Amino acid sequence: MSTLTKMKTLTMVQAITDAMRVMLKENEDVLLMGEDIGTNGGVFRATDGLQQEFGEDRVLDTPLSEAGFIGAAIGMGLNGFRPVTEVQFLGFIYPAYEQIMTHASRIRARTLGHFTCPLVIRAPYGAGVRAPEIHSDSTEALFTHMPGIKVVCPATPYDAKGLLIAAIEDPDPVLFLEPMRCYRSSKEEVPEEKYTVEIGKGKVVTEGEDVTIIAWGAMVKIAEDAAKEAADKGISCEVLDLRTLYPLDKDLISSSVQKTGKTVIVHEAHATGGVGNDVLAIINDKSFLYQKAPTERVTGFDTPVPYFGFEDFYLPDSKRVLAAVERVARY
């Protein structure tokens, strides 16, 4: 990055707003669609001020119909636009699942590569903010099982802006997951101008030698906290932030696991059928003979996300992760 790059300190939600503003200015084919995103600026104010700045033809308030506006956005994507849609919460996306599965993800295959569907679906997700039932679902695995759509999940403001710009420029559909717990929990310096973070590439957050901890979204901070606690006990942890859940960064996972030989996977989604299982499959396929201990998973439980009073018991925390790290470390 150039030393002349102008920086500003942003939260994740501000970085997401900035990414959309950058692309609305650069490309007149980019438009935003969703419920209450215009006049109200979205439920989390991620689109605050954008309708006033770019007009009602570029920032569209839609009816309360996820199937309706996602379906319309697919048609727009096929006809030269680059729609960025907002589903207010990932748990509200289920009515649009048919449109995404049956149409958006299949356009390239259905037309033998003659057409693509440049569509971004932004979806706040995850527990920890005391939201009502269905609002806190973490069902990313429903979409990673769907060839034809990429699934992205940033954990920091910098990555959020760069990944969202990359998603808007991608010729195919991208589900852009936004961990609600991270929206305003921290700030960091973010370039003012346009930049991208490559989709499909994770990163090493903390280097270590003894145990690899693999996480994404809000669980990256939990993994970092556990790694710091483990360091006090003499265990050196390498923390990976996958950033993209489909396609997974197999090379990053393999190189770290082969270095440490011991792994803990952390996600807040249910254990059964979670993306952590795919990560575990990669470890077995690529690095089985390097393993010095069985891989542990620290996840949410196989129940619906509970109501407010029990939410903290459901979510993985640094204590649960540390306990798993200690078990594999001493195996």
Side-chain angles (χ1 to χ4, degrees), residues 20 24 29-38 42 47 50-51 55-63 65-77 81-88 118-123:
M20 290 186 283
L24 283 164
D29 292 329
V30 173
L31 50 85
L32 312 183
M33 302 171 61
E35 300 161 359
D36 297 325
I37 70 164
T47 53
L50 295 181
Q51 188 177 75
E56 295 182 5
D57 291 338
R58 302 285 305 284
V59 183
L60 291 73
D61 278 316
T62 67
S65 172
E66 286 76 16
F69 70 75
I70 294 293
I74 292 169
M76 290 179 173
F81 291 97
R82 290 186 174 271
V84 181
T85 61
E86 178 185 296
V87 176
Q88 288 187 335
L119 163 68
V120 176
I121 303 171
R122 293 181 41 246

mmCIF file of all heavy atoms in Angstrom, residues 20 24 29-38 42 47 50-51 55-63 65-77 81-88 118-123:
data_model
loop_
_atom_site.group_PDB
_atom_site.id
_atom_site.type_symbol
_atom_site.label_atom_id
_atom_site.label_comp_id
_atom_site.label_asym_id
_atom_site.label_seq_id
_atom_site.Cartn_x
_atom_site.Cartn_y
_atom_site.Cartn_z
ATOM 1 N N MET A 20 -19.961 0.778 -0.772
ATOM 2 C CA MET A 20 -21.086 1.002 -1.672
ATOM 3 C C MET A 20 -21.030 2.392 -2.283
ATOM 4 O O MET A 20 -21.326 2.577 -3.476
ATOM 5 C CB MET A 20 -22.402 0.770 -0.916
ATOM 6 C CG MET A 20 -22.642 -0.691 -0.582
ATOM 7 S SD MET A 20 -24.263 -1.031 0.145
ATOM 8 C CE MET A 20 -24.010 -0.465 1.837
ATOM 9 N N LEU A 24 -20.972 3.099 -6.251
ATOM 10 C CA LEU A 24 -22.053 3.892 -6.845
ATOM 11 C C LEU A 24 -21.489 5.059 -7.645
ATOM 12 O O LEU A 24 -22.009 5.420 -8.708
ATOM 13 C CB LEU A 24 -22.987 4.405 -5.750
ATOM 14 C CG LEU A 24 -23.969 3.387 -5.157
ATOM 15 C CD1 LEU A 24 -24.553 3.907 -3.845
ATOM 16 C CD2 LEU A 24 -25.100 3.061 -6.136
ATOM 17 N N ASP A 29 -23.944 1.411 -13.347
ATOM 18 C CA ASP A 29 -24.756 0.196 -13.383
ATOM 19 C C ASP A 29 -24.985 -0.395 -11.987
ATOM 20 O O ASP A 29 -25.816 -1.292 -11.828
ATOM 21 C CB ASP A 29 -24.081 -0.870 -14.259
ATOM 22 C CG ASP A 29 -24.061 -0.475 -15.729
ATOM 23 O OD1 ASP A 29 -24.991 0.233 -16.161
ATOM 24 O OD2 ASP A 29 -23.109 -0.861 -16.434
ATOM 25 N N VAL A 30 -24.240 0.093 -11.006
ATOM 26 C CA VAL A 30 -24.424 -0.375 -9.628
ATOM 27 C C VAL A 30 -25.649 0.294 -9.027
ATOM 28 O O VAL A 30 -25.824 1.519 -9.136
ATOM 29 C CB VAL A 30 -23.181 -0.079 -8.763
ATOM 30 C CG1 VAL A 30 -23.442 -0.412 -7.294
ATOM 31 C CG2 VAL A 30 -21.983 -0.868 -9.280
ATOM 32 N N LEU A 31 -26.506 -0.497 -8.421
ATOM 33 C CA LEU A 31 -27.653 0.063 -7.704
ATOM 34 C C LEU A 31 -27.916 -0.778 -6.458
ATOM 35 O O LEU A 31 -27.519 -1.938 -6.372
ATOM 36 C CB LEU A 31 -28.895 0.145 -8.595
ATOM 37 C CG LEU A 31 -29.323 -1.106 -9.380
ATOM 38 C CD1 LEU A 31 -30.192 -2.011 -8.521
ATOM 39 C CD2 LEU A 31 -30.082 -0.701 -10.633
ATOM 40 N N LEU A 32 -28.570 -0.160 -5.493
ATOM 41 C CA LEU A 32 -28.862 -0.816 -4.225
ATOM 42 C C LEU A 32 -30.353 -1.072 -4.115
ATOM 43 O O LEU A 32 -31.167 -0.242 -4.523
ATOM 44 C CB LEU A 32 -28.404 0.056 -3.047
ATOM 45 C CG LEU A 32 -26.988 0.646 -3.098
ATOM 46 C CD1 LEU A 32 -26.700 1.402 -1.806
ATOM 47 C CD2 LEU A 32 -25.949 -0.430 -3.350
ATOM 48 N N MET A 33 -30.710 -2.224 -3.528
ATOM 49 C CA MET A 33 -32.113 -2.600 -3.373
ATOM 50 C C MET A 33 -32.322 -3.247 -2.015
ATOM 51 O O MET A 33 -31.454 -3.977 -1.534
ATOM 52 C CB MET A 33 -32.539 -3.597 -4.467
ATOM 53 C CG MET A 33 -32.361 -3.108 -5.880
ATOM 54 S SD MET A 33 -32.650 -4.443 -7.090
ATOM 55 C CE MET A 33 -34.365 -4.864 -6.754
ATOM 56 N N GLY A 34 -33.473 -2.967 -1.403
ATOM 57 C CA GLY A 34 -33.774 -3.628 -0.144
ATOM 58 C C GLY A 34 -34.869 -2.915 0.619
ATOM 59 O O GLY A 34 -35.315 -1.820 0.255
ATOM 60 N N GLU A 35 -35.279 -3.549 1.697
ATOM 61 C CA GLU A 35 -36.362 -3.016 2.519
ATOM 62 C C GLU A 35 -35.842 -1.919 3.446
ATOM 63 O O GLU A 35 -34.913 -2.146 4.228
ATOM 64 C CB GLU A 35 -36.964 -4.160 3.337
ATOM 65 C CG GLU A 35 -37.538 -5.264 2.473
ATOM 66 C CD GLU A 35 -37.721 -6.576 3.204
ATOM 67 O OE1 GLU A 35 -37.380 -6.660 4.404
ATOM 68 O OE2 GLU A 35 -38.206 -7.537 2.570
ATOM 69 N N ASP A 36 -36.403 -0.737 3.328
ATOM 70 C CA ASP A 36 -36.079 0.408 4.196
ATOM 71 C C ASP A 36 -34.640 0.894 4.057
ATOM 72 O O ASP A 36 -34.117 1.547 4.958
ATOM 73 C CB ASP A 36 -36.336 0.057 5.673
ATOM 74 C CG ASP A 36 -37.795 -0.254 5.952
ATOM 75 O OD1 ASP A 36 -38.656 0.383 5.315
ATOM 76 O OD2 ASP A 36 -38.076 -1.131 6.787
ATOM 77 N N ILE A 37 -33.987 0.612 2.927
ATOM 78 C CA ILE A 37 -32.584 1.036 2.792
ATOM 79 C C ILE A 37 -32.454 2.482 2.337
ATOM 80 O O ILE A 37 -31.386 3.076 2.465
ATOM 81 C CB ILE A 37 -31.804 0.128 1.814
ATOM 82 C CG1 ILE A 37 -32.274 0.342 0.366
ATOM 83 C CG2 ILE A 37 -31.900 -1.328 2.224
ATOM 84 C CD1 ILE A 37 -31.312 -0.205 -0.665
ATOM 85 N N GLY A 38 -33.541 3.051 1.822
ATOM 86 C CA GLY A 38 -33.464 4.393 1.263
ATOM 87 C C GLY A 38 -33.698 5.476 2.293
ATOM 88 O O GLY A 38 -32.765 6.020 2.889
ATOM 89 N N GLY A 42 -31.545 1.763 6.095
ATOM 90 C CA GLY A 42 -31.330 0.368 6.473
ATOM 91 C C GLY A 42 -31.469 0.154 7.967
ATOM 92 O O GLY A 42 -31.294 1.068 8.771
ATOM 93 N N THR A 47 -26.804 1.880 4.757
ATOM 94 C CA THR A 47 -27.000 2.664 3.535
ATOM 95 C C THR A 47 -27.401 4.100 3.859
ATOM 96 O O THR A 47 -27.941 4.815 3.005
ATOM 97 C CB THR A 47 -28.082 2.008 2.651
ATOM 98 O OG1 THR A 47 -29.271 1.796 3.433
ATOM 99 C CG2 THR A 47 -27.601 0.678 2.103
ATOM 100 N N LEU A 50 -27.223 7.354 1.396
ATOM 101 C CA LEU A 50 -26.889 7.020 0.016
ATOM 102 C C LEU A 50 -28.026 7.357 -0.947
ATOM 103 O O LEU A 50 -27.779 7.748 -2.090
ATOM 104 C CB LEU A 50 -26.512 5.540 -0.090
ATOM 105 C CG LEU A 50 -25.241 5.129 0.657
ATOM 106 C CD1 LEU A 50 -24.951 3.648 0.452
ATOM 107 C CD2 LEU A 50 -24.039 5.969 0.222
ATOM 108 N N GLN A 51 -29.277 7.207 -0.518
ATOM 109 C CA GLN A 51 -30.371 7.587 -1.406
ATOM 110 C C GLN A 51 -30.388 9.095 -1.632
ATOM 111 O O GLN A 51 -30.611 9.565 -2.753
ATOM 112 C CB GLN A 51 -31.711 7.122 -0.837
ATOM 113 C CG GLN A 51 -32.870 7.329 -1.825
ATOM 114 C CD GLN A 51 -34.187 6.821 -1.303
ATOM 115 O OE1 GLN A 51 -34.801 7.456 -0.441
ATOM 116 N NE2 GLN A 51 -34.635 5.673 -1.796
ATOM 117 N N GLY A 55 -29.868 9.295 -5.300
ATOM 118 C CA GLY A 55 -31.209 9.336 -5.854
ATOM 119 C C GLY A 55 -31.969 8.030 -5.731
ATOM 120 O O GLY A 55 -31.392 6.964 -5.517
ATOM 121 N N GLU A 56 -33.281 8.129 -5.904
ATOM 122 C CA GLU A 56 -34.165 6.978 -5.725
ATOM 123 C C GLU A 56 -34.046 5.967 -6.853
ATOM 124 O O GLU A 56 -34.470 4.818 -6.703
ATOM 125 C CB GLU A 56 -35.614 7.460 -5.601
ATOM 126 C CG GLU A 56 -35.871 8.297 -4.358
ATOM 127 C CD GLU A 56 -37.323 8.722 -4.232
ATOM 128 O OE1 GLU A 56 -38.147 8.268 -5.071
ATOM 129 O OE2 GLU A 56 -37.643 9.487 -3.303
ATOM 130 N N ASP A 57 -33.464 6.364 -8.004
ATOM 131 C CA ASP A 57 -33.279 5.420 -9.098
ATOM 132 C C ASP A 57 -32.073 4.517 -8.882
ATOM 133 O O ASP A 57 -31.944 3.486 -9.550
ATOM 134 C CB ASP A 57 -33.103 6.174 -10.427
ATOM 135 C CG ASP A 57 -34.372 6.863 -10.876
ATOM 136 O OD1 ASP A 57 -35.453 6.445 -10.425
ATOM 137 O OD2 ASP A 57 -34.280 7.807 -11.671
ATOM 138 N N ARG A 58 -31.181 4.897 -7.950
ATOM 139 C CA ARG A 58 -29.973 4.100 -7.683
ATOM 140 C C ARG A 58 -30.059 3.378 -6.339
ATOM 141 O O ARG A 58 -29.390 2.355 -6.152
ATOM 142 C CB ARG A 58 -28.732 5.014 -7.670
ATOM 143 C CG ARG A 58 -28.483 5.811 -8.947
ATOM 144 C CD ARG A 58 -27.942 4.970 -10.077
ATOM 145 N NE ARG A 58 -26.738 4.226 -9.747
ATOM 146 C CZ ARG A 58 -25.507 4.765 -9.655
ATOM 147 N NH1 ARG A 58 -25.334 6.072 -9.841
ATOM 148 N NH2 ARG A 58 -24.466 4.005 -9.384
ATOM 149 N N VAL A 59 -30.850 3.908 -5.423
ATOM 150 C CA VAL A 59 -31.011 3.298 -4.100
ATOM 151 C C VAL A 59 -32.504 3.090 -3.899
ATOM 152 O O VAL A 59 -33.236 4.025 -3.564
ATOM 153 C CB VAL A 59 -30.403 4.171 -2.992
ATOM 154 C CG1 VAL A 59 -30.529 3.483 -1.636
ATOM 155 C CG2 VAL A 59 -28.939 4.495 -3.285
ATOM 156 N N LEU A 60 -32.948 1.849 -4.088
ATOM 157 C CA LEU A 60 -34.378 1.567 -4.214
ATOM 158 C C LEU A 60 -34.932 0.911 -2.950
ATOM 159 O O LEU A 60 -34.451 -0.140 -2.532
ATOM 160 C CB LEU A 60 -34.635 0.619 -5.395
ATOM 161 C CG LEU A 60 -34.424 1.130 -6.818
ATOM 162 C CD1 LEU A 60 -32.944 1.276 -7.151
ATOM 163 C CD2 LEU A 60 -35.076 0.170 -7.814
ATOM 164 N N ASP A 61 -35.957 1.535 -2.364
ATOM 165 C CA ASP A 61 -36.732 0.872 -1.315
ATOM 166 C C ASP A 61 -37.667 -0.131 -1.975
ATOM 167 O O ASP A 61 -38.385 0.203 -2.927
ATOM 168 C CB ASP A 61 -37.549 1.902 -0.531
ATOM 169 C CG ASP A 61 -36.722 2.604 0.530
ATOM 170 O OD1 ASP A 61 -35.965 1.920 1.229
ATOM 171 O OD2 ASP A 61 -36.832 3.836 0.655
ATOM 172 N N THR A 62 -37.667 -1.358 -1.468
ATOM 173 C CA THR A 62 -38.476 -2.410 -2.080
ATOM 174 C C THR A 62 -39.637 -2.802 -1.165
ATOM 175 O O THR A 62 -39.621 -2.514 0.037
ATOM 176 C CB THR A 62 -37.622 -3.665 -2.337
ATOM 177 O OG1 THR A 62 -37.245 -4.237 -1.075
ATOM 178 C CG2 THR A 62 -36.377 -3.328 -3.138
ATOM 179 N N PRO A 63 -40.623 -3.506 -1.701
ATOM 180 C CA PRO A 63 -41.670 -4.089 -0.846
ATOM 181 C C PRO A 63 -41.073 -5.132 0.093
ATOM 182 O O PRO A 63 -39.950 -5.612 -0.103
ATOM 183 C CB PRO A 63 -42.628 -4.738 -1.855
ATOM 184 C CG PRO A 63 -42.351 -4.063 -3.149
ATOM 185 C CD PRO A 63 -40.889 -3.728 -3.128
ATOM 186 N N SER A 65 -40.685 -8.209 0.513
ATOM 187 C CA SER A 65 -40.759 -9.487 -0.201
ATOM 188 C C SER A 65 -39.359 -9.868 -0.653
ATOM 189 O O SER A 65 -38.892 -9.405 -1.697
ATOM 190 C CB SER A 65 -41.696 -9.385 -1.405
ATOM 191 O OG SER A 65 -41.631 -10.557 -2.190
ATOM 192 N N GLU A 66 -38.702 -10.705 0.145
ATOM 193 C CA GLU A 66 -37.339 -11.112 -0.217
ATOM 194 C C GLU A 66 -37.320 -11.872 -1.545
ATOM 195 O O GLU A 66 -36.445 -11.649 -2.389
ATOM 196 C CB GLU A 66 -36.728 -11.977 0.893
ATOM 197 C CG GLU A 66 -36.317 -11.217 2.137
ATOM 198 C CD GLU A 66 -37.489 -10.826 3.025
ATOM 199 O OE1 GLU A 66 -38.583 -11.406 2.844
ATOM 200 O OE2 GLU A 66 -37.314 -9.959 3.898
ATOM 201 N N ALA A 67 -38.287 -12.752 -1.741
ATOM 202 C CA ALA A 67 -38.357 -13.481 -3.006
ATOM 203 C C ALA A 67 -38.573 -12.519 -4.165
ATOM 204 O O ALA A 67 -38.007 -12.706 -5.256
ATOM 205 C CB ALA A 67 -39.481 -14.517 -2.956
ATOM 206 N N GLY A 68 -39.362 -11.469 -3.913
ATOM 207 C CA GLY A 68 -39.663 -10.511 -4.973
ATOM 208 C C GLY A 68 -38.462 -9.683 -5.381
ATOM 209 O O GLY A 68 -38.112 -9.613 -6.565
ATOM 210 N N PHE A 69 -37.768 -9.065 -4.396
ATOM 211 C CA PHE A 69 -36.685 -8.171 -4.822
ATOM 212 C C PHE A 69 -35.406 -8.921 -5.191
ATOM 213 O O PHE A 69 -34.635 -8.442 -6.026
ATOM 214 C CB PHE A 69 -36.431 -7.035 -3.813
ATOM 215 C CG PHE A 69 -35.813 -7.409 -2.498
ATOM 216 C CD1 PHE A 69 -34.458 -7.721 -2.394
ATOM 217 C CD2 PHE A 69 -36.566 -7.372 -1.326
ATOM 218 C CE1 PHE A 69 -33.886 -8.020 -1.175
ATOM 219 C CE2 PHE A 69 -35.993 -7.671 -0.102
ATOM 220 C CZ PHE A 69 -34.644 -7.997 -0.026
ATOM 221 N N ILE A 70 -35.190 -10.117 -4.620
ATOM 222 C CA ILE A 70 -34.053 -10.915 -5.077
ATOM 223 C C ILE A 70 -34.305 -11.410 -6.496
ATOM 224 O O ILE A 70 -33.410 -11.378 -7.359
ATOM 225 C CB ILE A 70 -33.780 -12.110 -4.135
ATOM 226 C CG1 ILE A 70 -33.325 -11.612 -2.757
ATOM 227 C CG2 ILE A 70 -32.736 -13.043 -4.737
ATOM 228 C CD1 ILE A 70 -31.986 -10.921 -2.739
ATOM 229 N N GLY A 71 -35.531 -11.835 -6.767
ATOM 230 C CA GLY A 71 -35.879 -12.246 -8.123
ATOM 231 C C GLY A 71 -35.724 -11.108 -9.122
ATOM 232 O O GLY A 71 -35.191 -11.296 -10.221
ATOM 233 N N ALA A 72 -36.171 -9.915 -8.747
ATOM 234 C CA ALA A 72 -36.008 -8.753 -9.628
ATOM 235 C C ALA A 72 -34.536 -8.437 -9.852
ATOM 236 O O ALA A 72 -34.117 -8.093 -10.969
ATOM 237 C CB ALA A 72 -36.727 -7.553 -9.020
ATOM 238 N N ALA A 73 -33.735 -8.555 -8.791
ATOM 239 C CA ALA A 73 -32.305 -8.266 -8.902
ATOM 240 C C ALA A 73 -31.613 -9.258 -9.833
ATOM 241 O O ALA A 73 -30.678 -8.886 -10.563
ATOM 242 C CB ALA A 73 -31.655 -8.286 -7.528
ATOM 243 N N ILE A 74 -32.047 -10.509 -9.819
ATOM 244 C CA ILE A 74 -31.473 -11.490 -10.747
ATOM 245 C C ILE A 74 -31.727 -11.052 -12.183
ATOM 246 O O ILE A 74 -30.829 -11.086 -13.036
ATOM 247 C CB ILE A 74 -32.070 -12.888 -10.482
ATOM 248 C CG1 ILE A 74 -31.607 -13.408 -9.122
ATOM 249 C CG2 ILE A 74 -31.662 -13.865 -11.593
ATOM 250 C CD1 ILE A 74 -32.344 -14.650 -8.651
ATOM 251 N N GLY A 75 -32.952 -10.622 -12.465
ATOM 252 C CA GLY A 75 -33.264 -10.127 -13.800
ATOM 253 C C GLY A 75 -32.440 -8.911 -14.173
ATOM 254 O O GLY A 75 -31.972 -8.777 -15.313
ATOM 255 N N MET A 76 -32.243 -8.009 -13.220
ATOM 256 C CA MET A 76 -31.420 -6.826 -13.477
ATOM 257 C C MET A 76 -29.971 -7.220 -13.770
ATOM 258 O O MET A 76 -29.326 -6.670 -14.669
ATOM 259 C CB MET A 76 -31.484 -5.883 -12.283
ATOM 260 C CG MET A 76 -32.815 -5.198 -12.101
ATOM 261 S SD MET A 76 -32.818 -4.113 -10.645
ATOM 262 C CE MET A 76 -34.409 -3.329 -10.827
ATOM 263 N N GLY A 77 -29.448 -8.183 -12.969
ATOM 264 C CA GLY A 77 -28.086 -8.631 -13.202
ATOM 265 C C GLY A 77 -27.907 -9.230 -14.580
ATOM 266 O O GLY A 77 -26.864 -9.041 -15.232
ATOM 267 N N PHE A 81 -27.085 -4.666 -15.196
ATOM 268 C CA PHE A 81 -26.905 -3.949 -13.937
ATOM 269 C C PHE A 81 -26.061 -4.777 -12.967
ATOM 270 O O PHE A 81 -25.821 -5.973 -13.171
ATOM 271 C CB PHE A 81 -28.263 -3.631 -13.300
ATOM 272 C CG PHE A 81 -29.063 -2.615 -14.063
ATOM 273 C CD1 PHE A 81 -30.054 -3.018 -14.955
ATOM 274 C CD2 PHE A 81 -28.826 -1.262 -13.893
ATOM 275 C CE1 PHE A 81 -30.790 -2.080 -15.665
ATOM 276 C CE2 PHE A 81 -29.556 -0.316 -14.598
ATOM 277 C CZ PHE A 81 -30.544 -0.733 -15.493
ATOM 278 N N ARG A 82 -25.617 -4.112 -11.907
ATOM 279 C CA ARG A 82 -24.902 -4.790 -10.818
ATOM 280 C C ARG A 82 -25.632 -4.486 -9.507
ATOM 281 O O ARG A 82 -25.223 -3.606 -8.746
ATOM 282 C CB ARG A 82 -23.439 -4.340 -10.760
ATOM 283 C CG ARG A 82 -22.620 -4.862 -11.934
ATOM 284 C CD ARG A 82 -21.148 -4.567 -11.825
ATOM 285 N NE ARG A 82 -20.422 -5.219 -12.905
ATOM 286 C CZ ARG A 82 -19.926 -6.450 -12.869
ATOM 287 N NH1 ARG A 82 -20.046 -7.145 -11.756
ATOM 288 N NH2 ARG A 82 -19.308 -6.978 -13.885
ATOM 289 N N PRO A 83 -26.716 -5.197 -9.251
ATOM 290 C CA PRO A 83 -27.512 -4.917 -8.054
ATOM 291 C C PRO A 83 -26.841 -5.413 -6.782
ATOM 292 O O PRO A 83 -26.274 -6.508 -6.739
ATOM 293 C CB PRO A 83 -28.821 -5.665 -8.313
ATOM 294 C CG PRO A 83 -28.447 -6.743 -9.274
ATOM 295 C CD PRO A 83 -27.331 -6.220 -10.105
ATOM 296 N N VAL A 84 -26.919 -4.588 -5.747
ATOM 297 C CA VAL A 84 -26.459 -4.953 -4.408
ATOM 298 C C VAL A 84 -27.697 -4.937 -3.526
ATOM 299 O O VAL A 84 -28.256 -3.876 -3.243
ATOM 300 C CB VAL A 84 -25.406 -3.967 -3.876
ATOM 301 C CG1 VAL A 84 -24.933 -4.384 -2.475
ATOM 302 C CG2 VAL A 84 -24.226 -3.873 -4.834
ATOM 303 N N THR A 85 -28.148 -6.102 -3.102
ATOM 304 C CA THR A 85 -29.378 -6.201 -2.328
ATOM 305 C C THR A 85 -29.052 -6.364 -0.847
ATOM 306 O O THR A 85 -28.005 -6.893 -0.483
ATOM 307 C CB THR A 85 -30.219 -7.398 -2.792
ATOM 308 O OG1 THR A 85 -29.472 -8.609 -2.591
ATOM 309 C CG2 THR A 85 -30.580 -7.271 -4.264
ATOM 310 N N GLU A 86 -29.957 -5.894 -0.014
ATOM 311 C CA GLU A 86 -29.813 -6.071 1.428
ATOM 312 C C GLU A 86 -30.987 -6.885 1.958
ATOM 313 O O GLU A 86 -32.140 -6.466 1.852
ATOM 314 C CB GLU A 86 -29.765 -4.730 2.159
ATOM 315 C CG GLU A 86 -29.663 -4.894 3.682
ATOM 316 C CD GLU A 86 -29.735 -3.586 4.441
ATOM 317 O OE1 GLU A 86 -28.827 -2.738 4.263
ATOM 318 O OE2 GLU A 86 -30.697 -3.403 5.205
ATOM 319 N N VAL A 87 -30.686 -8.042 2.507
ATOM 320 C CA VAL A 87 -31.658 -8.795 3.291
ATOM 321 C C VAL A 87 -31.437 -8.386 4.742
ATOM 322 O O VAL A 87 -30.321 -8.462 5.244
ATOM 323 C CB VAL A 87 -31.466 -10.317 3.109
ATOM 324 C CG1 VAL A 87 -32.418 -11.090 4.010
ATOM 325 C CG2 VAL A 87 -31.656 -10.703 1.649
ATOM 326 N N GLN A 88 -32.463 -7.913 5.412
ATOM 327 C CA GLN A 88 -32.266 -7.272 6.715
ATOM 328 C C GLN A 88 -31.544 -8.160 7.718
ATOM 329 O O GLN A 88 -30.736 -7.680 8.515
ATOM 330 C CB GLN A 88 -33.617 -6.815 7.276
ATOM 331 C CG GLN A 88 -34.184 -5.620 6.542
ATOM 332 C CD GLN A 88 -35.429 -5.061 7.214
ATOM 333 O OE1 GLN A 88 -36.147 -5.778 7.922
ATOM 334 N NE2 GLN A 88 -35.693 -3.792 7.004
ATOM 335 N N PRO A 118 -24.212 -10.919 -12.070
ATOM 336 C CA PRO A 118 -23.472 -10.161 -11.057
ATOM 337 C C PRO A 118 -24.410 -9.593 -10.002
ATOM 338 O O PRO A 118 -24.948 -8.490 -10.141
ATOM 339 C CB PRO A 118 -22.800 -9.051 -11.874
ATOM 340 C CG PRO A 118 -23.701 -8.841 -13.045
ATOM 341 C CD PRO A 118 -24.318 -10.184 -13.343
ATOM 342 N N LEU A 119 -24.603 -10.340 -8.948
ATOM 343 C CA LEU A 119 -25.548 -9.992 -7.888
ATOM 344 C C LEU A 119 -24.865 -10.132 -6.543
ATOM 345 O O LEU A 119 -24.217 -11.144 -6.271
ATOM 346 C CB LEU A 119 -26.759 -10.935 -7.962
ATOM 347 C CG LEU A 119 -27.676 -11.023 -6.740
ATOM 348 C CD1 LEU A 119 -28.422 -9.713 -6.534
ATOM 349 C CD2 LEU A 119 -28.634 -12.202 -6.889
ATOM 350 N N VAL A 120 -24.991 -9.126 -5.683
ATOM 351 C CA VAL A 120 -24.507 -9.218 -4.309
ATOM 352 C C VAL A 120 -25.708 -9.224 -3.371
ATOM 353 O O VAL A 120 -26.613 -8.388 -3.508
ATOM 354 C CB VAL A 120 -23.570 -8.045 -3.949
ATOM 355 C CG1 VAL A 120 -23.161 -8.121 -2.476
ATOM 356 C CG2 VAL A 120 -22.338 -8.059 -4.839
ATOM 357 N N ILE A 121 -25.713 -10.169 -2.451
ATOM 358 C CA ILE A 121 -26.751 -10.219 -1.426
ATOM 359 C C ILE A 121 -26.081 -9.975 -0.088
ATOM 360 O O ILE A 121 -25.353 -10.821 0.421
ATOM 361 C CB ILE A 121 -27.469 -11.584 -1.412
ATOM 362 C CG1 ILE A 121 -28.058 -11.889 -2.785
ATOM 363 C CG2 ILE A 121 -28.562 -11.596 -0.337
ATOM 364 C CD1 ILE A 121 -28.591 -13.316 -2.917
ATOM 365 N N ARG A 122 -26.293 -8.788 0.480
ATOM 366 C CA ARG A 122 -25.755 -8.455 1.796
ATOM 367 C C ARG A 122 -26.723 -8.984 2.860
ATOM 368 O O ARG A 122 -27.933 -8.785 2.762
ATOM 369 C CB ARG A 122 -25.605 -6.942 1.964
ATOM 370 C CG ARG A 122 -24.559 -6.287 1.079
ATOM 371 C CD ARG A 122 -24.472 -4.777 1.359
ATOM 372 N NE ARG A 122 -24.551 -4.518 2.788
ATOM 373 C CZ ARG A 122 -25.558 -3.876 3.379
ATOM 374 N NH1 ARG A 122 -26.553 -3.380 2.678
ATOM 375 N NH2 ARG A 122 -25.553 -3.694 4.689
ATOM 376 N N ALA A 123 -26.154 -9.637 3.898
ATOM 377 C CA ALA A 123 -27.015 -10.212 4.932
ATOM 378 C C ALA A 123 -26.335 -10.154 6.295
ATOM 379 O O ALA A 123 -25.376 -10.893 6.532
ATOM 380 C CB ALA A 123 -27.369 -11.656 4.588
#
